[in-house]
Amino acid sequence: MDPSMSVPWEEEFKCCICLDVLTDPVSTPCGHNFCMACIEQCWTSAEVHHCPLCKEKFSTKPELKVNTTFKAVVHHFQMKMGGSKPTVPCDVCSGQKMKAVKSCLDCGTTFCETHLENHKTAPRLIKHKLMDPVENLEDYICQKHERPLELFCRDDQTSVCRFCTEGDHKTHSTVPIEEESGERKMHLRKKQEAVQQMIKHRHKKIEDIRSSVQRNKESSKKTKAHTLEVFRSLMHCIERSQAELLEVMEEKQKAAERQAEEFIKELEQEITELKRRDTELEQLSHTEDHLHLLQVYPSLCSRPLTKNWTDVRINTHLRVETLRRTLSQLQEALNKELKRLSKTTSKPALHRNAPSSSTTTSTTEPADSLFRSTVSATAPSPFSPVPFSNLSEGLGKLQKKYAVNVTLDPKTAYPKLVLSADGKRVWHGYAWQNVPNNPERFDTSACVLGKEGFSSGRFYYEVQVTGKTVWVLGVVRESINRKGMISVSPENGYWTVHLRNETEFLALSSPPLILSLKQTPQKLGVFVDYEEGLVSFYDVEARSDIYSFTGQSFTEKLYPFFFPCNKGESSKPIIISPIIPCC
């Protein structure tokens, strides 16, 4: 191993003469680095020029020039490590300028150790106000009176000199700049503690997400094994459907892992930003540069732009509703296969007591067994949906028997939403309308409710969403929060479905569930059975069910809920459609 690799990075950027971080670094012919001033001073009185580190002698004095690239690297390292500030040169030195150690606010000059001696001995200069060296010394001196900025005006939130307090700031509340800086340092330390807690919480969230993904993998393996064992007993048409189900499960797993990766990436980005904020707060809480602290204080006291991760979860389970839809599709495919087999099979083969040849029996017995299995499989069960072949008839019944007239309630509409005169259309108009901020109105989220509320029985309505790429629809309870940001979930009184990114469809359950649909719905049917605790969604044009919230408990009035989106789709409304029964 290269011995140099074991040397700490900090040592690589230090001058072996002054033992400080390199200032204006130069390289000798032997490859070692020194401060320009240090090596020049070392060679000033020397008869023979040699490297102070390896002692290599040079026949003539090397012509040294500052390595600007290496200087930039050293400066970047200092900033990254939170180390000392960049070296400030002495204003008094002529020729090669030495490193400054103090800046005098009264003189308006920065001094090296040598030129600072007068300020330590001369009675007139001892009283001058000294501070750590800075390049922009004029920023620390009052431009009007040319005096040090020693005080802070709390009325105007600005630094002033003592002459300012006799003029424009005479009646204002002023305190020494050190006192104001001390109070704000204490506040910054509290902010730093809060940021550190946020970092800790996000590390914990990453571990939770990883554990959740691992549990999901194990559960997925067991589910796959069970599914394979079940489908081995079915015929060829079921085996083809088995591949589709496994593909859905794999996609769910991949989607969960992708979602976890996105969350982890976002959390790690937030941690990086929070660590940067933590470093800034740490530096400023110990700085003596009071004016700089006051200048950056407002930006550092603002809350970091981070997400609230408390309720974020990974979608890790294949929900029963998804499995129900898949099984229903399998039943439909199986019924089609049976019809096809019944047309190609001899009539006696469908009766157990009918005589048949050995050839006929071998070809028809599987069909008979499959038929009996199908009858058993389609028997009522707690999770079996209505077969797709009967869904049109079921929708027709809902449309005829339970259809209600829904109109939009302008008293609840977010001020930028535009409602048609008949209360059947809503879209985002972008212009803020002058409407009263009554308790029923949404003031932050672009939502609106239906006028009609329902506290019993069954009701059904349809909504046209053609051309929309983002929306949320469903029903909500009367007591939902309508002020500030809202959290959409059944626990908070929302039973809704959500389209995003044009093709991604979700049921906003807890946690949200990504749904796999063959096509994006253009018209939705919404059905509610209050007493049964049921909210179901249908694709009206495809005559297919989408998702159902079951086993809910309703104790308040339920209202239709509409969120038409506010992302560049102001010309595309959500429309409450007149209901035309399919049969």
Side-chain angles (χ1 to χ4, degrees):
M1 179 182 292
D2 185 354
S4 64
M5 295 300 291
S6 61
V7 179
W9 274 103
E10 295 87 344
E11 299 302 321
E12 293 292 339
F13 297 118
K14 286 186 178 180
C15 173
C16 68
I17 298 176
C18 65
L19 301 180
D20 202 351
V21 177
L22 289 165
T23 302
D24 294 334
V26 296
S27 298
T28 57
C30 58
H32 294 117
N33 301 311
F34 305 93
C35 299
M36 170 68 90
C38 293
I39 192 66
E40 288 289 351
Q41 186 176 5
C42 181
W43 286 349
T44 299
S45 58
E47 297 180 359
V48 179
H49 302 97
H50 65 275
C51 174
L53 190 61
C54 68
K55 306 305 180 183
E56 180 178 341
K57 296 181 180 179
F58 311 116
S59 57
T60 59
K61 180 181 177 182
E63 184 179 351
L64 303 177
K65 294 184 179 179
V66 176
N67 187 332
T68 55
T69 301
F70 189 45
K71 181 178 180 180
V73 172
V74 172
H75 175 71
H76 177 73
F77 175 78
Q78 284 182 288
M79 294 298 98
K80 188 174 182 63
M81 297 302 293
S84 59
K85 298 178 180 178
T87 303
V88 179
C90 175
D91 292 337
V92 183
C93 288
S94 59
Q96 182 63 41
K97 292 185 177 293
M98 300 298 291
K99 175 183 176 182
V101 294
K102 290 292 180 181
S103 292
C104 178
L105 293 176
D106 294 275
C107 299
T109 308
T110 299
F111 301 99
C112 64
E113 190 68 47
T114 302
H115 292 111
L116 189 66
E117 286 298 323
N118 289 340
H119 280 73
K120 297 180 180 179
T121 56
R124 183 175 59 84
L125 301 178
I126 289 177
K127 296 181 180 180
H128 283 195
K129 190 173 183 64
L130 301 176
M131 62 179 291
D132 289 339
V134 293
E135 292 180 337
N136 53 333
L137 188 57
E138 62 276 5
D139 292 343
Y140 296 78
I141 299 175
C142 177
Q143 300 300 309
K144 183 176 181 180
H145 302 108
E146 297 184 353
R147 301 297 299 166
L149 296 170
E150 301 177 276
L151 302 172
F152 185 78
C153 176
R154 287 179 171 172
D155 292 341
D156 294 337
Q157 293 292 298
T158 185
S159 300
V160 297
C161 71
R162 295 196 178 275
F163 287 109
C164 292
T165 60
E166 299 175 3
D168 296 339
H169 301 269
K170 185 174 183 180
T171 59
H172 293 182
S173 173
T174 58
V175 295
I177 198 169
E178 293 84 356
E179 179 181 336
E180 183 70 16
S181 176
E183 292 183 8
R184 299 201 177 189
K185 281 182 182 179
M186 292 178 59
H187 188 61
L188 288 175
R189 291 191 188 100
K190 293 180 181 179
K191 291 289 183 181
Q192 182 185 9
E193 291 176 0
V195 169
Q196 290 172 347
Q197 282 297 113
M198 294 172 73
I199 293 173
K200 183 178 179 181
H201 173 74
R202 278 150 181 76
H203 277 303
K204 178 65 166 59
K205 196 66 181 182
I206 288 175
E207 292 302 318
D208 292 344
I209 290 173
R210 285 174 174 160
S211 299
S212 178
V213 171
Q214 184 59 36
R215 289 194 300 270
N216 180 52
K217 285 183 177 180
E218 295 173 358
S219 175
S220 180
K221 288 179 181 178
K222 294 179 181 178
T223 305
K224 290 177 187 177
H226 175 71
T227 304
L228 287 170
E229 183 177 351
V230 171
F231 278 91
R232 285 193 189 99
S233 62
L234 300 178
M235 296 183 66
H236 184 60
C237 68
I238 299 299
E239 292 174 354
R240 291 197 306 268
S241 299
Q242 164 195 317
E244 295 178 5
L245 180 59
L246 291 178
E247 183 179 353
V248 170
M249 294 174 63
E250 285 290 345
E251 182 58 34
K252 293 292 181 183
Q253 172 63 27
K254 290 178 182 178
E257 292 182 4
R258 286 196 299 270
Q259 188 181 36
E261 290 174 359
E262 291 174 1
F263 284 166
I264 291 173
K265 183 178 179 181
E266 191 171 350
L267 282 163
E268 289 176 342
Q269 289 175 346
E270 288 193 10
I271 289 172
T272 299
E273 179 62 23
L274 289 171
K275 285 183 177 179
R276 185 190 65 77
R277 175 70 68 93
D278 181 49
T279 300
E280 292 177 356
L281 292 171
E282 174 66 23
Q283 292 177 10
L284 286 173
S285 65
H286 296 91
T287 186
E288 294 182 8
D289 188 346
H290 311 299
L291 183 59
H292 177 65
L293 183 148
L294 297 176
Q295 291 171 342
V296 301
Y297 176 83
S299 63
L300 290 179
C301 282
S302 61
R303 188 183 185 281
L305 298 176
T306 55
K307 182 186 293 186
N308 181 0
W309 293 91
T310 304
D311 297 324
V312 175
R313 299 288 187 276
I314 297 296
N315 299 326
T316 58
H317 299 291
L318 183 65
R319 298 292 295 267
V320 172
E321 287 79 6
T322 303
L323 186 59
R324 287 170 54 187
R325 285 195 301 275
T326 305
L327 289 176
S328 183
Q329 292 171 337
L330 299 185
Q331 291 172 8
E332 182 183 23
L334 187 56
N335 288 332
K336 289 181 179 178
E337 183 68 12
L338 283 172
K339 291 179 180 179
R340 186 187 67 80
L341 290 174
S342 64
K343 293 178 181 179
T344 58
T345 305
S346 60
K347 190 172 183 179
L350 294 177
H351 300 276
R352 303 290 281 172
N353 298 328
S356 60
S357 64
S358 58
T359 303
T360 305
T361 302
S362 63
T363 58
T364 58
E365 182 63 22
D368 184 51
S369 300
L370 179 60
F371 177 75
R372 289 185 286 108
S373 300
T374 304
V375 173
S376 176
T378 56
S381 69
F383 55 87
S384 294
V386 177
F388 280 11
S389 58
N390 294 329
L391 185 56
S392 294
E393 179 182 347
L395 269 180
K397 180 179 179 181
L398 297 181
Q399 292 168 331
K400 289 179 179 179
K401 192 171 182 179
Y402 302 113
V404 294
N405 181 32
V406 174
T407 53
L408 301 170
D409 186 355
K411 292 190 299 183
T412 67
Y414 176 64
K416 290 187 180 182
L417 291 183
V418 180
L419 277 60
S420 62
D422 61 358
K424 296 294 185 178
R425 296 169 177 253
V426 59
W427 63 94
H428 199 289
Y430 288 91
W432 193 275
Q433 302 178 70
N434 186 19
V435 293
N437 187 19
N438 47 282
E440 300 91 345
R441 189 178 307 281
F442 292 91
D443 67 348
T444 302
S445 301
C447 308
V448 62
L449 302 183
K451 277 186 179 181
E452 299 77 14
F454 303 89
S455 57
S456 63
R458 301 173 179 177
F459 62 93
Y460 174 85
Y461 62 94
E462 294 179 352
V463 184
Q464 187 78 34
V465 290
T466 301
K468 301 287 289 180
T469 60
V470 181
W471 47 258
V472 181
L473 295 172
V475 295
V476 299
R477 66 185 177 214
E478 186 175 21
S479 64
I480 58 168
N481 176 36
R482 308 183 192 193
K483 306 299 181 183
M485 299 304 293
I486 61 176
S487 180
V488 181
S489 67
E491 289 78 7
N492 294 324
Y494 294 80
W495 293 270
T496 58
V497 290
H498 174 33
L499 177 71
R500 67 183 185 188
N501 300 330
E502 193 170 356
T503 57
E504 296 179 21
F505 206 82
L506 296 89
L508 298 183
S509 54
S510 296
L513 173 67
I514 299 176
L515 305 176
S516 297
L517 304 182
K518 291 183 178 180
Q519 61 187 33
T520 303
Q522 301 302 306
K523 181 185 289 188
L524 266 76
V526 184
F527 172 69
V528 177
D529 187 328
Y530 193 97
E531 282 72 24
E532 289 295 326
L534 172 69
V535 181
S536 295
F537 298 89
Y538 300 92
D539 184 337
V540 176
E541 295 180 352
R543 322 309 297 175
S544 62
D545 62 332
I546 295 175
Y547 184 81
S548 292
F549 293 93
T550 59
Q552 306 300 307
S553 178
F554 302 135
T555 57
E556 304 177 26
K557 272 190 176 183
L558 298 181
Y559 289 85
F561 173 83
F562 307 86
F563 174 76
C565 176
N566 55 358
K567 297 182 179 179
E569 296 186 348
S570 59
S571 62
K572 300 174 184 176
I574 284 180
I575 305 171
I576 301 173
S577 301
I579 295 177
I580 303 174
C582 63
C583 55

